[in-house]
Amino acid sequence: AMLAASMAFGAMAAPPDYDERPAKVEPYREGWNYDRRLVDITMRDGVKLHTVFLVPKGARNAPILLTRTPYDAEKLTSNVHSGNLIAALDGYDNAADIIVAGGYIRVIQDVRGKYKSGGGYVMNRPLVGSGLNPTQVDDATDTWDTIDWLVKNLPESNGRVGTLGISYDGYEPLVALVNPHPALKVSVPMNPMVDGWRGDDWFHNGAFRQMNADYIWEQVATTDNSDPFWWNSRDIYDAFMRAGSAGAFGRIHGLDQIGFWRKLTEHPAYDTFWQAQAMDKILAAQPLKVPVMLVHSLWDQEDIYGAPAVYAALKPKDTAGDMVFLTLGPWHHGQEIDDGTHSGNISWDQDAAKWWRWHVLAPFLAHYLKDEPMDVAPVTAFQSGVNEWRRLNAWPERPAAARLYLKPGMSLGFSPAEGAAETADYVSDPAHPVTFVPRPVRPTGYDDDHWTDWLTTDQRNAAARPDVLTFTSEVLTAPVTIAGQPVVHLSASTSGTDSDWVVKLIDVYPDETPVRRDMGGYQFAVGMDIFRGRYRQSLSDPKPITPNAPLAYSFALPPANHVFLPGHRIMVQVQSSWFPLYDRNPQTFTPNIFFAKPQDYVKATQKVVIAGPSESYIELPLVN
Ligand code: PG9
């Protein structure tokens, strides 16, 4: 009987589904202080870009602040689904306090090919005319078309647009400067991606920043970043060490499916692929039409190269001195819109981000977008050590000229060592690389906080290793002030045929410190960077290193605006790996390190010259 009934039921036509969802809803918005609008703006090639508008209630003659992002415009503008704009905006890219106080119309747009925008996605889409973009559209044309739509379709606006953003979103205000729309009145690139090979996200002087693997997968594999990268290991040190080379890691994790990953592996050297995209080079060749403030974080763990490089490229064009501005803040990547009281264990004795937002960013934007007066110095630079903001007329304040020598007795001094040639030696073993932070190493990100402030972590962990050379000055009896980019001049040999050199300039705190007793002896890095030895003679044409011959390696450290206080010491550390942030140098020259074979990874004896005709030194931009 049951079977018969079910068969009979099956034979009946199933009733149509029903749906309780209304065709359209009018959400309750009583008390909201802004209107939220979603518009898909059509670009010149017909592609529609998804754009979020947050228009303060009653806005009239209000300027527009535009951010273009690959990180989900809708998410960025509803971090707290709130009727109060300052809450909705709070988070990445939004200096919410001064945007709301300034009465700006906030516009955030998904870049082409991401989230709800149409079109194709290309990581930092190269500009039309770069030789790398086969189309007639790029982020510059998309920005132009967007601004043109905004000023023609936003009756609440005063027809003036500013662009600002952090990181990738800081790259966008830079490309907006190429053939800028006439309504673009100011640009504030914050911690921008500028040159992915020299010193921003992808490489530093040729050493590959492999820990961005998850970002590349999540950013490119899906339009909405919906497929999380699977590390298959809690301590990603193990994930990378087990794989061997970065290329092998990519193959294991499916990254070969990603076009951008393949481009990285095909362009390990500073070739045209990288040089044609370098925004400092591109903007150096452009007329200066829009006032711009480059915003740099002195402890930027992601884009520590870009802002100073663009400033150096543009400043010579600013003959009247009123178009190109620079901020150097005591921040990690993007911290300028957050709590600026400290970076990791280092306290700034004030909220250095809030001060900057209200005393520099707010008047700077208001001047160009609302004709308000401003008194912003060409360079606003935080002087760490004394922890005070400085108004400077130019940057660097001093050229790197004072030689701090690495000397016998693992000492440092401003005069070279006398006597016969001498070296300080260590064995660099790729099977036991120096880590950039203590293990377990977690993925980059802002949940596990070791990544955000890792540049200010205590360097004593490294100093304790036999494969890290540590040179230390006497206790200072007078301040030593630097204001510029130190330049490393290492004279060193390796028993291998390739090698990485990591050099760190460190402020060593007194053994006993008041108030913050835990900071006694802290080794606070003022500037650190890595250089891949194969590029010693040419960044674009790598060559094997002659084994066991002392050779010269020169490279700049990031900008520093620091006072080594009396009672402190200056320290320099030298090592040959920085894992797993950077891929390991096998220390055997191979055509492409991405595809080094297990047998290429060999121990090498490193000898740093510390006395004799070619001893090593760091040129410091010494103020006193
Ligand atoms: N500069 C950040 C980033 C870019 C690429 C890889 C990893 C990080 C950023 O845009 O947030």
Side-chain angles (χ1 to χ4, degrees):
M2 293 285 286
L3 178 62
S6 70
M7 286 174 72
F9 180 76
M12 282 166 32
D17 194 1
Y18 72 117
D19 186 347
E20 289 182 348
R21 287 176 299 176
K24 188 174 178 341
V25 290
E26 283 301 325
Y28 170 66
R29 288 288 183 269
E30 181 60 36
W32 278 43
N33 64 9
Y34 67 100
D35 285 333
R36 181 182 173 86
R37 304 170 197 164
L38 305 179
V39 178
D40 292 338
I41 300 176
T42 303
M43 299 296 108
R44 62 187 65 181
D45 65 339
V47 165
K48 294 181 183 302
L49 300 190
H50 189 64
T51 311
V52 180
F53 295 78
L54 306 179
V55 183
K57 285 265 196 251
R60 258 193 319 284
N61 204 34
I64 297 165
L65 276 182
L66 169 66
T67 292
R68 305 185 70 252
T69 180
Y71 301 136
D72 192 352
E74 289 199 17
K75 188 179 81 175
L76 276 181
T77 53
S78 52
N79 294 305
V80 172
H81 183 65
S82 161
N84 188 326
L85 182 53
I86 201 163
L89 275 179
D90 185 35
Y92 191 79
D93 261 356
N94 289 308
D97 44 1
I98 64 112
I99 288 171
V100 172
Y104 294 101
I105 295 170
R106 190 77 173 103
V107 179
I108 297 186
Q109 182 180 71
D110 288 333
V111 299
R112 187 179 281 260
K114 284 304 294 181
Y115 292 96
K116 295 186 178 177
S117 280
Y121 179 65
V122 179
M123 185 81 77
N124 299 101
R125 180 181 282 251
L127 291 175
V128 172
S130 63
L132 300 167
N133 178 341
T135 74
Q136 285 306 303
V137 291
D138 57 24
D139 289 70
T141 63
D142 286 347
T143 303
W144 198 103
D145 294 346
T146 299
I147 291 175
D148 201 53
W149 190 95
L150 294 179
V151 296
K152 291 174 178 170
N153 293 278
L154 265 182
E156 299 93 341
S157 93
N158 69 355
R160 297 190 199 186
V161 180
T163 63
L164 82 170
I166 294 170
S167 203
Y168 198 126
D169 302 3
Y171 163 77
E172 296 298 331
L174 288 179
V175 296
L177 299 175
V178 176
N179 305 317
H181 190 283
L184 179 62
K185 302 302 182 188
V186 68
S187 168
V188 183
M190 297 188 266
N191 312 108
M193 297 172 79
V194 171
D195 188 322
W197 194 94
R198 292 301 306 278
D200 288 327
D201 293 284
W202 311 122
F203 298 84
H204 276 206
N205 299 317
F208 177 55
R209 291 161 63 88
Q210 59 188 1
M211 276 182 61
N212 286 320
D214 56 349
Y215 173 95
I216 294 167
W217 175 264
E218 290 165 4
Q219 194 58 27
V220 188
T222 57
T223 303
D224 60 358
N225 292 40
S226 55
D227 186 276
F229 185 78
W230 171 236
W231 286 97
N232 195 22
S233 165
R234 170 106 189 127
D235 181 348
I236 62 174
Y237 178 106
D238 291 324
F240 284 110
M241 187 60 84
R242 287 177 193 138
S245 70
F249 177 88
R251 264 197 311 279
I252 292 166
H253 289 265
L255 282 158
D256 284 347
Q257 305 165 79
I258 305 293
F260 183 66
W261 177 267
R262 293 196 300 273
K263 285 180 187 166
L264 289 170
T265 64
E266 289 156 9
H267 300 282
Y270 196 50
D271 59 13
T272 309
F273 176 76
W274 294 109
Q275 297 185 39
Q277 297 184 73
M279 284 307 298
D280 54 330
K281 295 176 168 52
I282 290 168
L283 290 174
Q286 292 287 325
L288 194 56
K289 294 181 177 176
V290 178
V292 55
M293 176 180 284
L294 286 309
V295 181
H296 176 68
S297 294
L298 289 160
W299 286 271
D300 190 324
Q301 78 279 12
E302 299 189 11
D303 295 294
I304 204 163
Y305 179 87
V310 172
Y311 176 77
L314 294 184
K315 195 56 189 172
K317 301 158 128 11
D318 182 13
T319 48
D322 59 357
M323 292 285 281
V324 183
F325 296 77
L326 175 67
T327 288
L328 301 168
W331 305 314
H332 59 246
H333 189 64
Q335 190 178 1
E336 57 269 27
I337 62 168
D338 205 334
D339 173 346
T341 54
H342 64 283
S343 287
N345 294 311
I346 309 298
S347 165
W348 305 120
D349 306 326
Q350 62 206 282
D351 186 335
K354 182 175 182 181
W355 182 92
W356 174 79
R357 290 194 303 274
W358 286 97
H359 293 83
V360 178
L361 179 61
F364 186 74
L365 292 172
H367 179 68
Y368 294 101
L369 295 172
K370 297 191 279 186
D371 292 329
E372 290 181 12
M374 80 167 181
D375 175 22
V376 172
V379 178
T380 307
F382 192 85
Q383 190 174 48
S384 48
V386 292
N387 290 351
E388 291 168 357
W389 282 101
R390 295 276 185 263
R391 293 166 59 94
L392 304 177
N393 288 321
W395 180 263
E397 196 179 13
R398 286 287 189 286
R403 294 186 176 190
L404 180 67
Y405 291 93
L406 280 57
K407 303 180 73 169
M410 304 310 285
S411 65
L412 288 173
F414 286 102
S415 57
E418 308 297 330
E422 191 175 334
T423 62
D425 308 347
Y426 61 96
V427 173
S428 169
D429 179 359
H432 301 283
V434 186
T435 60
F436 77 105
V437 288
R439 297 182 65 182
V441 179
R442 303 288 298 128
T444 65
Y446 293 79
D447 50 347
D448 265 329
D449 210 30
H450 84 289
W451 172 252
T452 310
D453 290 310
W454 83 263
L455 287 175
T456 62
T457 47
D458 194 337
Q459 293 303 312
R460 277 177 283 196
N461 292 299
R465 289 180 57 120
D467 54 358
V468 176
L469 297 181
T470 301
F471 300 88
T472 313
S473 76
E474 294 301 318
V475 173
L476 301 177
T477 55
V480 173
T481 303
I482 60 175
Q485 279 192 254
V487 179
V488 171
H489 294 272
L490 205 62
S491 172
S493 70
T494 175
S495 60
T497 50
D498 197 356
S499 181
D500 287 353
W501 302 100
V502 177
V503 176
K504 311 172 187 172
L505 179 62
I506 293 167
D507 182 340
V508 183
Y509 282 36
D511 292 339
E512 293 295 339
T513 52
V515 183
R516 285 284 310 276
R517 303 293 309 280
D518 60 311
M519 292 302 285
Y522 198 94
Q523 295 179 8
F524 167 42
V526 172
M528 310 190 277
D529 221 333
I530 187 169
F531 185 87
R532 182 142 288 178
R534 59 171 50 206
Y535 299 110
R536 188 180 74 86
Q537 295 167 298
S538 162
L539 300 181
S540 56
D541 180 16
K543 291 186 177 58
I545 294 174
T546 307
N548 303 312
L551 299 172
Y553 301 89
S554 297
F555 57 99
L557 296 180
N561 194 41
H562 186 74
V563 181
F564 295 87
L565 295 169
H568 291 230
R569 296 169 186 262
I570 303 174
M571 176 182 281
V572 172
Q573 289 183 3
V574 180
Q575 64 196 56
S576 288
S577 49
W578 226 359
F579 190 76
L581 173 54
Y582 293 95
D583 64 336
R584 293 171 302 149
N585 191 315
Q587 303 181 146
T588 304
F589 184 83
T590 60
N592 184 340
I593 288 182
F594 276 104
F595 304 110
K597 295 179 176 46
Q599 60 269 30
D600 295 327
Y601 291 84
V602 297
K603 290 183 188 177
T605 298
Q606 316 290 71
K607 294 176 179 286
V608 174
V609 180
I610 55 173
S614 62
E615 65 185 279
S616 304
Y617 60 94
I618 297 184
E619 280 180 322
L620 295 181
L622 204 57
V623 173
N624 60 355

